[in-house]
Amino acid sequence: MLRHTWPPLLAACLAPPAWADSFLLTRLQGLPLFNGMLKNGGVAPYGTLDLGVNYAQAGGKRAWQLQSGGEWTSKFGLAGRELLSDGWRTEFNLEAGFNANDGTPQSPGITFNREAWLGLESTRWGALRLGRQLNAGLPLFIDPFGAVNTHSVYSWAGMGAVQTPRGVLPNADLGPGAAQLDSRLGHAAKWISPRGQGFNVELLQAASPNRRAPGSRGAMLAHLDGPLFLAASFNQSWQPLSPSGADAVRNDFYGLAAVYDIGRLVLSASHTVTVPRRQENGIARVYTAGAIVAEKRHVYRLSAVYRDTSSARDADGQAISSSALGLMLGYDYNLSKRTGLYARAGAIRNLGGSTLILNGQPLPTDARGRPQTGITPVGAAVGLYHNYF
């Protein structure tokens, strides 16, 4: 699923005067690349510790657990910058996400599983970054909960976390070869253009770890007009059906989004379409709406996600009608600029043959291991986070 961050696009395409009262822009202040710590160059550490007590229920299954990443992803990072001549600078970012409840890495086998890139940037030519980095899809701040990997219906319903007898697989009800747009890609090259006339462009090409299969590519166009931010994206990735990669299925991802941010109020909406390019496969359409209300130390959040499919299939390959509606509520109390308390509560209403899960809690299954339909997974959490930099 998606991993939480506030992407470089937000700083690349948003001018401080226009967004002086922006709620979203303040979220960047915990990152040295954007908070002035590296204004004259150097290297700076940063990170987050986030722990919460979580409750999850799906049918007759219930679970309590201490979980990491309810508000922010727990992480450790290093950011660096060197100022060169003629307005050029070189930058790098190394960032590793981990589970603060037990200290294990989020992605076993990948040390810097969130960011591992090196780049050159100038005000005239933009930025070129090489390595593991965010994709060129819609920014994660479209979700009022930042698309965290725990309590976010945007992550679970919007990205199609479908339970099957083979486990939880993204968009599995769309048929073999269906996939999701990974939030981060390794082996990637990305160009981020300067902002001109309110417009900004991102272009990305990533090689596949399986050299026999194609990789990923994408483009995003963003526009800023005062407090209004608009974005459109198109991405492609290939999902191999076998280890050889010769029969990989191309997945096309289309996205539109809008954000209105005046500091005390943030409104957002998006529409995405996932199209696996295989004749027998289905299509998923996702609609989202969200709001953030900030009042001094208090922050209130709301997210609604509706996922609808056409030509979806169940675990037996039979055609089904499938849709789901997710709702998430949140409250934050900021103890300081770095530390805060949070509470979350949400649910996903599975309709028809939909078998989406929430926050990793599995659905009940029958004797053959097939998940039950019509189940509404729910979850709630209270937690504490601290950003250090």
Side-chain angles (χ1 to χ4, degrees), residues 73-76 95-99 104-107 111 113-114:
T73 295
S74 294
K75 58 187 175 291
F76 173 79
E95 188 173 297
F98 60 92
N99 300 308
T104 58
Q106 284 185 338
S107 303
T111 302
N113 46 44
R114 291 172 59 84

Side-chain angles (χ1 to χ4, degrees), residues 171-213:
N171 289 319
D173 52 354
L174 303 185
Q180 71 171 20
L181 180 60
D182 290 335
S183 60
R184 288 171 177 79
L185 297 168
H187 311 280
K190 181 197 286 186
W191 177 63
I192 305 172
S193 77
R195 189 172 64 87
Q197 302 297 317
F199 287 94
N200 179 263
V201 176
E202 285 191 10
L203 301 175
L204 179 139
Q205 177 71 50
S208 172
N210 181 348
R211 297 183 179 181
R212 298 180 181 180

Side-chain angles (χ1 to χ4, degrees), residues 312-359:
R313 304 281 174 172
D314 62 13
D316 296 323
Q318 302 299 314
I320 56 171
S321 173
S322 174
S323 62
L325 177 63
L327 182 68
M328 183 66 62
L329 302 173
Y331 168 71
D332 306 342
Y333 182 76
N334 298 317
L335 298 170
S336 70
K337 290 184 178 180
R338 299 186 183 185
T339 304
L341 302 169
Y342 61 85
R344 301 287 186 263
I348 296 176
R349 179 73 174 98
N350 282 307
L351 305 170
S354 177
T355 55
L356 297 177
I357 69 168
L358 176 63
N359 197 20

Side-chain angles (χ1 to χ4, degrees), residues 4-366:
H4 176 54
T5 193
W6 299 93
L9 168 73
L10 193 56
C13 69
L14 304 184
W19 279 57
D21 297 323
S22 164
F23 175 87
L24 296 175
L25 193 59
T26 62
R27 307 285 282 187
L28 286 171
Q29 300 309 305
L31 301 177
L33 286 174
F34 309 120
N35 64 14
M37 292 179 64
L38 300 177
K39 181 179 180 180
N40 297 316
V43 177
Y46 67 94
T48 301
L49 284 171
D50 182 310
L51 284 167
V53 177
N54 292 261
Y55 170 76
Q57 176 180 323
K61 295 179 175 289
R62 297 175 175 83
W64 289 90
Q65 61 179 323
L66 183 65
Q67 191 173 39
S68 177
E71 165 80 14
W72 297 85
T73 295
S74 294
K75 58 187 175 291
F76 173 79
L78 285 173
R81 175 181 294 154
E82 181 185 12
L83 305 183
L84 307 174
S85 59
D86 299 324
W88 287 88
R89 63 189 187 187
T90 182
E91 296 180 330
F92 75 86
N93 195 187
L94 299 172
E95 188 173 297
F98 60 92
N99 300 308
N101 52 315
D102 59 10
T104 58
Q106 284 185 338
S107 303
I110 305 178
T111 302
F112 294 104
N113 46 44
R114 291 172 59 84
E115 305 282 344
W117 56 262
L118 175 66
L120 283 172
E121 182 176 0
S122 80
T123 55
R124 181 177 181 182
W125 299 104
L128 176 64
R129 292 173 176 170
L130 306 174
R132 185 172 182 81
Q133 56 192 299
L134 287 163
N135 64 29
L138 297 179
L140 302 186
F141 58 78
I142 298 302
D143 177 20
F145 296 89
V148 292
N149 199 29
T150 52
H151 290 280
S152 165
V153 291
Y154 183 96
S155 295
W156 296 94
M159 300 303 290
V162 177
Q163 182 173 329
T164 74
R166 296 178 292 122
V168 178
L169 302 173
N171 289 319
D173 52 354
L174 303 185
Q180 71 171 20
L181 180 60
D182 290 335
S183 60
R184 288 171 177 79
L185 297 168
H187 311 280
K190 181 197 286 186
W191 177 63
I192 305 172
S193 77
R195 189 172 64 87
Q197 302 297 317
F199 287 94
N200 179 263
V201 176
E202 285 191 10
L203 301 175
L204 179 139
Q205 177 71 50
S208 172
N210 181 348
R211 297 183 179 181
R212 298 180 181 180
S216 302
R217 59 194 178 200
M220 184 179 66
L221 173 66
H223 179 64
L224 172 71
D225 183 10
L228 181 63
F229 173 81
L230 304 173
S233 67
F234 174 66
N235 286 260
Q236 295 178 329
S237 70
W238 280 259
Q239 181 72 13
L241 292 177
S242 65
S244 69
D247 51 358
V249 176
R250 193 186 88 194
N251 286 254
D252 292 348
F253 306 93
Y254 304 85
L256 293 172
V259 178
Y260 181 72
D261 183 353
I262 57 173
R264 292 182 58 185
L265 175 66
V266 183
L267 300 176
S268 60
S270 72
H271 174 48
T272 60
V273 183
T274 299
V275 185
R277 294 299 180 179
R278 184 171 176 268
Q279 187 174 2
E280 299 85 357
N281 283 22
I283 297 174
R285 298 173 178 86
V286 176
Y287 307 85
T288 77
I292 299 174
V293 178
E295 181 62 36
K296 297 182 179 179
R297 294 179 179 267
H298 308 276
V299 180
Y300 306 89
R301 304 173 190 268
L302 168 67
S303 173
V305 176
Y306 178 68
R307 179 179 185 264
D308 190 32
T309 66
S310 58
S311 301
R313 304 281 174 172
D314 62 13
D316 296 323
Q318 302 299 314
I320 56 171
S321 173
S322 174
S323 62
L325 177 63
L327 182 68
M328 183 66 62
L329 302 173
Y331 168 71
D332 306 342
Y333 182 76
N334 298 317
L335 298 170
S336 70
K337 290 184 178 180
R338 299 186 183 185
T339 304
L341 302 169
Y342 61 85
R344 301 287 186 263
I348 296 176
R349 179 73 174 98
N350 282 307
L351 305 170
S354 177
T355 55
L356 297 177
I357 69 168
L358 176 63
N359 197 20
Q361 178 65 21
L363 305 177
T365 59
D366 62 17

